[in-house]
Amino acid sequence: VRLHSHDVRYGSGSGQQSVTGVAAADDGNSYWRVRGRTAAVCERGTPVRCGQAIRLTHLGTGRNLHSHHFASPLSGNQEVSAFGEAGEGDYLDDWTVVCSGTYWSRDSEVRFQHTSTDVFLSVTGEQYGRPIHGQKEVHGMAASSQNNYWKVMEGIFMQPSEVFKSEQYHAEL
């Protein structure tokens, strides 16, 4: 499924904007911007290192992928929501990229582990009824599993900056 959000709030828990999973490949509410962690400067086009903390900001609403100690509505796992305004939220918006190698490769699967609570961004089979019928619950799970692998499906790839290129291939001290 694709990581989805829109301005529909949870009716329980935090009452924040819901985050769900949808199967539709043409869903305009499944686009997220990768940004530096809270209060960090991240130059556009800089590769994301495995183990680096990032924020994912929903393009449609400007809220960040967020988690906290509220129970998710269907499974009772940890709630995942979208929080903040215009891309600004708090430290609970930070997720660590868990991948193999040095950098997050556009074609590889990754996991996102919440930096404050250590849960993994996950989706399982629980589906919502009204008003978001058929969408799957996205939640935080304590253990890594097949339910918490994610992959970039489409988007805009920014070439690394000239500074990064020279740093990567620089042979002198």
Side-chain angles (χ1 to χ4, degrees):
V1 300
R2 293 168 187 264
L3 188 63
H4 172 95
S5 191
H6 54 269
D7 203 5
V8 172
R9 301 197 177 258
Y10 289 122
S12 62
S14 69
Q16 293 175 355
Q17 182 173 305
S18 62
V19 173
T20 62
V22 298
D26 62 348
D27 177 54
N29 284 318
S30 295
Y31 296 115
W32 299 79
R33 180 177 166 204
V34 179
R35 301 174 62 212
R37 66 177 168 76
T38 303
V41 175
C42 180
E43 185 179 328
R44 187 167 66 179
T46 302
V48 176
R49 290 186 172 277
C50 295
Q52 179 179 338
I54 62 164
R55 281 177 295 169
L56 294 173
T57 302
H58 187 252
L59 287 183
T61 62
R63 294 190 176 103
N64 298 320
L65 189 68
H66 183 89
S67 193
H68 40 220
H69 291 291
F70 282 95
S72 59
L74 300 179
S75 66
N77 289 309
Q78 187 166 303
E79 181 185 278
V80 171
S81 62
F83 173 77
E85 295 297 326
E88 298 309 316
D90 64 23
Y91 70 98
L92 294 173
D93 300 339
D94 295 342
W95 297 81
T96 300
V97 177
V98 179
C99 53
S100 59
T102 305
Y103 297 102
W104 174 7
S105 170
R106 163 171 64 164
D107 296 328
S108 65
E109 293 179 329
V110 298
R111 288 186 168 112
F112 298 106
Q113 187 171 26
H114 193 246
T115 59
S116 294
T117 63
D118 293 328
V119 297
F120 291 93
L121 181 68
S122 303
V123 62
T124 52
E126 297 90 0
Q127 290 190 21
Y128 288 101
R130 299 177 87 190
I132 50 178
H133 178 73
Q135 294 182 18
K136 295 186 181 222
E137 180 183 74
V138 170
H139 50 250
M141 294 182 72
S144 62
S145 73
Q146 289 299 318
N147 297 323
N148 43 50
Y149 277 111
W150 297 91
K151 187 174 180 182
V152 173
M153 297 307 293
E154 61 262 328
I156 299 170
F157 174 72
M158 307 301 282
Q159 289 293 331
S161 68
E162 291 302 317
V163 172
F164 175 76
K165 286 180 185 175
S166 65
E167 172 188 301
Q168 186 176 17
Y169 300 108
H170 192 63
E172 301 172 356
L173 291 177

